[in-house]
């Protein structure tokens, strides 16, 4: 299964570093090539000699080793692998990754890589439960980093609880899954996200408060499951995820054209907050204050992107999912919207100001399908995205 796969293995400075030796052995037994990187603290727990003997190749540890840069630069080292694995991933390494530090070889490789990263955290239970580690984990999973473990159990420090590194064979299974392609491999999923900007004149526009965070998290979660994702985004305030095809648009009309241009797709999820109206006959020049009195803005209805795609007779994606941002009688409105638009599912959320959902980090949604309404507990947008992506994978079979 892992034959010919190339793993860049970063070994951090924790007691569980000894298990990294067994991990190297297991990976090589399965045909993988392992390039080991030992942090300075990692080298306090296992020797470079034992790591290189098991890996059958040189251990890298110093960013400033000019011979290594001549032979293989740190950028190349970070890109040559199929997957980057950090085991054990200490609290310190998690903090560095979440903060974007690049002050030694391991952290620089983690910043420079264009490959998936899998971490196997290992630390004392208090360190694992510390709010800083919780925050760092949320940031990392939001960034698309995969994690295996930790497990609960007796710890080397004498305490009990979660913090023990996953066993080498569990890490091997997670590596297999990460390289396998996932349940959406070979599927094309279209995701729209962000607000639209409807021009009034060349410098002014009508917009809404959507940040694009939920659509971005969803695109990332679908890509994590192996889908080829086309991400059609309005001017969002969060950056698009890596590993998806980004099509940037401004207005609803441009978004519809981009969506139609991206079809066919196996599934389409319309998470964008598309403006219902645009300014009819937007001015080609900046409207001047003064003589003519107050400008009169006449509105025209925008195309309904969700309904247009859901009601296609030819080339309709197998699964069409709309989002409904409501401020009152959420489920009733969203259920009616599902019937009116002809889509398969509606993900409804209450975006009243008191919920903090629009532009916030969390979401509380109700999934409306032909079988009825399902309330999901309030969770981070990344968790909601992961759950929805898993449901989409299940529906596409
Ligand atoms: C005996 C000993 C055991 C340690 N075990 C762990 C551990 O399991 N997990 C952890 O996060 N830090 C552990 N630490 C602390 C780390 O070694 C320390 O934070 C170090 O800076 C991490 O370096 P790294 O970023 O290269 O992993 C331990 C320290 C000592 C002295």
């Amino acid at each position: 299964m892992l034959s010919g796969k190339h793993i860049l293995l970063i070994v951090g400075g924790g007691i569980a570093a000894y298990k990294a030796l067994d991990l190297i052995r297991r990976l090589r037994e399965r045909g993988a090539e392992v390039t080991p990187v030992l942090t300075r603290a990692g080298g306090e727990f296992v020797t470079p000699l034992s790591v290189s003997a098991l890996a059958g190749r040189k251990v890298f540890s110093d960013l400033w080793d000019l011979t290594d840069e001549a032979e293989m630069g740190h950028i190349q080292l970070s890109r040559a692998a199929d997957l980057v694995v950090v085991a054990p991933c200490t609290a310190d390494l998690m903090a560095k990754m979440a903060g974007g530090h690049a002050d030694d070889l391991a952290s620089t490789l983690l910043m420079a890589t264009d490959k998936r990263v899998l971490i196997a955290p290992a630390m004392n239970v208090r360190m694992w439960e510390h709010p800083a580690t919780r925050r760092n984990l949320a940031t990392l999973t939001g960034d698309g980093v995969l994690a295996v473990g930790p497990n609960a159990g007796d710890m080397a420090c004498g305490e009990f609880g979660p913090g023990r590194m996953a066993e080498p064979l569990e890490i091997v299974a997670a590596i297999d899954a990460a390289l396998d392609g996932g349940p959406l491999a070979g599927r094309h999923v279209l995701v729209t996200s962000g607000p639209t900007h409807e021009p009034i004149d060349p410098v002014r526009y009508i917009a809404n408060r959507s940040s694009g965070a939920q659509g971005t998290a969803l695109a990332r979660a679908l890509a994590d499951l192996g889908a080829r994702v086309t991400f059609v985004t309005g001017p969002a305030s969060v950056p698009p995820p890596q590993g998806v095809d980004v099509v940037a648009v401004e207005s609803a009309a441009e978004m519809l054209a981009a969506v139609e241009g991206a079809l066919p797709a196996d599934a389409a999820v319309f998470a964008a907050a598309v403006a219902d109206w645009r300014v009819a006959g937007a001015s080609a020049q900046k409207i001047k204050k003064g003589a003519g009195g107050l400008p009169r803005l006449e509105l025209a209805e925008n195309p309904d992107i969700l309904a247009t795609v859901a009601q296609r007779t030819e080339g309709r994606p197998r699964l069409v999912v709309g989002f409904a941002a409501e401020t009152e009688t959420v489920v009733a409105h969203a259920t009616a919207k599902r019937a009116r638009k002809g889509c398969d599912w509606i993900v409804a959320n209450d975006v009243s100001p008191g919920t903090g959902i629009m532009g916030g980090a969390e979401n509380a949604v109700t999934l409306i399908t032909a079988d009825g309404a399902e309330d999901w507990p309030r969770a981070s947008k990344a968790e909601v995205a992961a759950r929805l992506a898993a449901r989409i994978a299940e529906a596409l079979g």
Side-chain angles (χ1 to χ4, degrees), residues 246-381:
V246 180
V247 184
V249 298
E250 292 263 332
S251 64
E254 286 173 18
M255 188 170 274
L256 176 61
V259 162
E260 291 190 318
L263 293 175
D266 296 287
V269 186
F270 296 96
V274 181
D276 290 319
W277 306 283
R278 67 180 179 281
V279 175
S283 172
Q285 304 299 331
K286 185 181 171 202
I287 301 171
K288 295 283 181 207
K289 198 160 94 172
L294 292 175
R296 291 179 61 82
L297 298 182
E298 201 166 312
L299 299 179
E301 196 157 321
N302 266 333
D304 187 328
I305 302 175
L306 171 61
T308 305
V309 173
Q311 292 167 22
R312 275 170 84 107
T313 44
E314 263 179 49
R316 181 192 192 274
R318 208 143 50 85
L319 182 70
V320 177
V321 183
F323 269 65
E326 305 285 352
T327 54
E328 54 180 352
T329 46
V330 175
V331 172
H333 281 166
T335 305
K337 181 170 178 174
R338 179 179 168 274
R340 198 169 64 245
K341 307 273 178 166
C343 60
D344 302 295
W345 301 349
I346 286 277
V347 181
N349 48 11
D350 182 351
V351 294
S352 332
T355 64
I357 283 174
M358 205 153 200
E362 294 189 334
N363 207 352
V365 307
T366 304
L367 179 67
I368 293 163
T369 69
D371 299 330
E374 262 175 58
D375 285 327
W376 289 4
R378 190 175 173 119
S380 71
K381 286 183 175 172

Side-chain angles (χ1 to χ4, degrees), residues 6 18 54 92 115 127 191 193 222 235 257 275 285 294 303-304 307 334 352 389:
H6 185 175
Y18 77 92
L54 284 162
D92 182 58
K115 297 300 180 340
M127 291 173 84
V191 178
S193 182
L222 290 161
Q285 304 299 331
L294 292 175
D304 187 328
S352 332

